[in-house]
Amino acid sequence: MKNVRPILYAWFALLTLLALTIGASFAPLGPVLPFVSYAIAIAKTVLIIWLFMEMKTRDGLQRIALGVGFAWLFILLLLSFADILTRGWLGA
Amino acid sequence: MPDARAVQPQFPTLERQNDADHFGMLLFLSTEVLIFGGVFAVAFTLRAEHADYAQASKQMHYWIGGINTGVLLTSSALVALMVEAVRAGRAKLAGWLLGGTIALGLVFLALKFTEYALEYRDGVVPILSDANLHGGVERLFMDLYFVATGLHALHVTVGLCLLGSLLWPFGRARRERTAVFAGNAALYWHLVDIVWVFLYPTLYLAR
Amino acid sequence: MSPSQVNPRMSQEAVPDTPEERRSYLAEGHSLRSWLLTTDHKRIAILFMVAITFFFFCGGVAAALIRLDLLTPAPDLMSNDGYNRAFSLHGIIMVWFFLIPSIPTTFGNFLLPLMIGAKDLAFPRLNLASWYIFVLGGLFTLITVVAGGVDTGWTFYTPFSSTYSNGAVFLAITAVFISGFSSILTGINFIVTVHKLRCPGMTWGRLPLFVWSIYTTAIIFVLATPVLTITLVLVALERVFGLGIFDPALGGDPILFQHLFWFYSHPAVYIMVLPAMGVVSELITNAAHKQIFGYWFVAGSAIAIGVIGFMVWGHHMFVSGQSPYASAIFSFLSIVVAVPSAIKVYNWTATLHKGEIVIDGPLLYALGFIGLFTIGGLTGVMLAMIAADVHLTDTYFVVAHFHFIMVGGSVSAYFGALHFWWPKITGRLYNDMWARLAALLIFFGFVMTFAPQFVMGYEGMPRRYHVYPQVFQPLMVMSSVGSSVLAVAYVLPFFYLFWSLRYGKPAGPNPWGATGLEWTTPSPPPKDNFETVPVVDKEAYCYPEQGRAGEPQTQQAESVDA
Ligand code: HEM
Ligand SMILES: [Cu+2]
């Protein structure tokens, strides 16, 4: 059971990040808030994937198999929002 | 000792078979990412197109959501420890950790449904009880909320069933195949956790 | 049989009925149970073949109704509503219940393990589950028909589908939703199989190109289908519970639906055409009896198409209200994706160059694919130009464009594959004269049906109407007549192929002198495919230097000490 410590550290870090994200939502961040929230969410995800899902010790193929879903989601969001965010630019 | 009967004829070795199971599970998780990805695309669009999105989000019981996030994160840690214990052949410890994971999963669902009940009381449930829902983005937000969390709750339930199916044959935890199955079920549970990690700021923290 | 009737490529000697044949996968049991509970990839391939053939027929009936109605400018055969239901049903069945599963689930299932030297797919029970899920989805399609059908077109555009349509939208969506899981499971199964079950020596650089294209297709299955799944769920929820997600009346965004739908459906058109390209690579190399020209270009272009194909979907939305900036990006990327497609066409042509070509049924189908796909692809590039598309969108030009690729291209390749691997699947040789005749008839019937539609579309005839100006009648009639030729040509193979089951000569392991590992097994192959695990020491398409005069060889290593 050699990986117990990293798991416990990660758990602790995750709960800290949770506290941080709740705290940030009360701070007067205005339009920056979503960026802070999602940066924290991404940090949590990295911890879960790397340590809980053991991607740290896996080979490239296994990392790709899990990563490709996120990568393709990124394509979906990127190109959809290329439309949604620029739709009004020429005037309605 | 590897269980010879566990190897299916198309695989040259048990190790290759275990590899294949793990690889297949990861691919399946990628499809889950994209399934929820559609929900997030809807959420982000709603947020981009409606300035009042944050206002609508304030109806959420963010503290129940927050506690639930903690519950899921903790259960994820437990299930990760469970996998370690199974690998180390410590069946008893693994059993306790698994029990803990499942218990926390049930706590999550219980809190989630408590929250639904509160929302029903508040009159912000579309169609069923919408006395205090003022149309427009508030209504859209609650629609999204129920779709997203409902779909997630469904996945939690499936995850619990997967983990639960480990309970009964747990005496055989030493068996290599059980360890592989436990590892893959744990992967699923982690993914359900990740989805919630993104749902929480999307729905609750857009203040 | 006179010499002209047998395929000139086939060995003229009748191969004796060896004892192997009796141990074939077909002989492992004849009860219904032995089929319905099988986990043998070859039997599951046959199960899929039966299912999709049935749906091909159903979709064909709808097509026949459409073409019949269009014979005259007046709405005589069907009501407006009836016509809408006919083309919607035609589209839904042909796309999701025939073309998407067609080559992957039949030839992919049958050949993938054989070509890489494996005993089965990685997850045989999952494979069977995939078939049952598919059939369940198909059942819902049939229920949809009984319940009155749908009138949304195969694209289910919101808010019409979610709010206004009076058809059985929910049932139709459920059908497609269910069949999606079949795609996902098959996709995962294929990917894992290619990664984990290649036999010793079968490196990535030695994979037959059919494997490369099925592998890419499987990736698209896995990455595109989930988005369709969730989108359909959202539409269904909106329809049943009145949620506001895509409904503009409630503040939702209907164009978001199109983004999500086409994020699946443009890659889906590559699901339909990539396996066909894989088939053609096999057919062309064998017809020329030559190494493929530019192996890595052909393999790499499959991957390139698979990846770039995910970034072009907005070309379906140029007039939807999509931002012009996004349209410009999508237009550019759509033109880029034509490059790898063109690479393939050039390489096939170069492979034929100076080959020892024997013109037989399979080659004619492959040539048909190349010609029709090229026209379809080029008109696709035309449509990707925003300025042209504003004029051409939603006209018969688009209809002709995608039928050239999906019907002229993919269905021809499906028939080509059927002819090329028929001896392997059934152990029997068919009469090649009939095969050549059917191939030519399909080609001419096809062109007659769809070439006039380019003209009509260019002149402004919109799609999905059954009332049209008098001037279009000659072209419409030509198209309808062509479609009846096409129908006859599609039915023809059923007769001579089934005839061969009973009267055809036994094929022997390798009637074409082809090089893939599948040709080292008896025809039909035994349940476990290979007696001993094959070892590969040669590239794909290692046809002998001397051409047909040389001793036939396969990728299998010559001397294996088992
Ligand atoms: C080679 C590159 C290709 C390009 C640049 C291209 C481009 C286009 C464009 C711009 C449209 C939209 C027309 C409109 O509605 O305004 C279109 C429609 C379509 N294309 Fe392609 N295409 C290509 C290849 C393919 C392939 C390979 C397939 C199928 C295997 C295909 C199937 C379709 C279908 C089904 C539609 C019609 C969708 C609908 O409106 O219902 N295309 N294509
Ligand atoms: Cu497209």
Side-chain angles (χ1 to χ4, degrees), chain C residues 135-182:
Chain C
V135 170
L136 184 67
L139 217 58
F140 269 89
T141 313
L142 299 181
I143 297 174
T144 309
V145 181
V146 177
V150 268
D151 57 353
T152 60
W154 75 282
T155 45
F156 295 118
Y157 270 18
T158 55
F160 181 66
S161 62
S162 59
T163 314
Y164 303 105
S165 162
N166 59 7
V169 181
F170 179 72
L171 282 170
I173 284 181
T174 309
V176 177
F177 169 81
I178 293 173
S179 80
F181 288 100
S182 169

Side-chain angles (χ1 to χ4, degrees), chain B residues 10 16 49-50 127 139-140 143, chain C residues 122 124 196 241-242 244 251 253:
Chain B
Q10 70 273 25
R16 192 83 70 84
E49 290 178 355
H50 297 271
I127 303 160
R139 163 72 202 279
L140 290 182
D143 286 351
Chain C
K196 301 292 176 193
F241 297 112
D253 186 345

Side-chain angles (χ1 to χ4, degrees), chain A residues 61 72 79 83 86-87 90, chain C residues 195 223 253 259 310 313 323-324:
Chain A
L61 179 65
W72 254 242
L79 286 173
D83 164 33
T86 65
R87 224 179 262 165
L90 278 187
Chain C
H195 275 280
L223 294 176
D253 186 345
H259 279 299
F310 272 98
W313 77 80
S323 148

Side-chain angles (χ1 to χ4, degrees), chain C residues 201-456:
Chain C
M202 182 55 89
T203 57
W204 287 90
R206 288 177 183 159
L207 287 176
L209 290 165
F210 180 72
V211 175
W212 273 104
S213 58
I214 287 290
Y215 174 70
T216 316
T217 308
I219 293 177
I220 303 179
F221 270 145
V222 168
L223 294 176
T225 317
V227 176
L228 177 73
T229 304
I230 184 68
T231 311
L232 293 178
V233 170
L234 293 174
V235 174
L237 288 173
E238 184 161 323
R239 183 166 176 92
V240 176
F241 297 112
L243 304 191
I245 293 165
F246 302 122
D247 184 357
L250 292 174
D253 186 345
I255 299 179
L256 179 64
F257 169 82
Q258 298 186 23
H259 279 299
L260 296 173
F261 179 82
W262 289 113
F263 179 86
Y264 164 80
S265 287
H266 186 84
V269 306
Y270 288 110
I271 292 176
M272 304 177 213
V273 86
L274 274 169
M277 292 170 157
V279 166
V280 170
S281 297
E282 301 292 322
L283 266 48
I284 290 288
T285 44
N286 189 253
H289 242 66
K290 246 179 92 195
Q291 173 63 258
I292 186 94
F293 179 86
Y295 175 88
W296 281 112
F297 278 92
V298 182
S301 61
I303 300 283
I305 289 175
V307 173
I308 304 172
F310 272 98
M311 307 180 195
V312 304
W313 77 80
H315 63 217
H316 297 274
M317 301 165 58
F318 288 153
V319 300
S320 69
Q322 175 177 249
S323 148
Y325 302 100
S327 291
I329 298 173
F330 282 122
S331 172
F332 172 74
L333 289 168
S334 304
I335 296 164
V336 170
V337 79
V339 175
S341 313
I343 289 179
K344 282 181 181 281
V345 172
Y346 289 130
N347 285 29
W348 292 322
T349 322
T351 305
L352 286 173
H353 180 62
K354 290 195 175 161
E356 266 190 274
I357 298 172
V358 171
I359 296 180
D360 60 0
L363 176 67
L364 288 183
Y365 283 109
L367 291 179
F369 172 93
I370 296 179
L372 299 177
F373 169 75
T374 305
I375 296 177
L378 286 174
T379 51
V381 178
M382 290 171 71
L383 288 168
M385 313 286 167
I386 302 175
D389 187 69
V390 171
H391 170 64
L392 293 173
T393 189
D394 274 334
T395 68
Y396 266 76
F397 194 90
V398 173
V399 176
H401 154 66
F402 64 76
H403 280 89
F404 261 71
I405 295 177
M406 303 182 351
V407 183
S410 299
V411 179
S412 292
Y414 178 80
F415 275 89
L418 190 62
H419 286 80
F420 189 65
W421 283 289
W422 183 262
K424 180 53 60 187
I425 295 172
T426 65
R428 298 293 169 153
L429 296 177
Y430 52 85
N431 184 327
D432 194 63
M433 191 196 66
W434 282 103
R436 278 172 280 171
L437 182 72
L440 290 176
L441 216 54
I442 286 180
F443 185 84
F444 286 115
F446 177 83
V447 173
M448 190 170 170
T449 309
F450 289 100
Q453 299 188 0
F454 276 127
V455 182
M456 281 188 275

Side-chain angles (χ1 to χ4, degrees), chain C residues 105-129:
Chain C
T105 61
T106 57
F107 299 104
N109 240 328
F110 195 98
L111 294 169
L112 190 61
L114 283 167
M115 281 183 164
I116 64 174
K119 285 189 174 149
D120 206 319
L121 292 175
F123 309 120
R125 273 174 298 174
L126 206 62
N127 197 14
L128 183 64

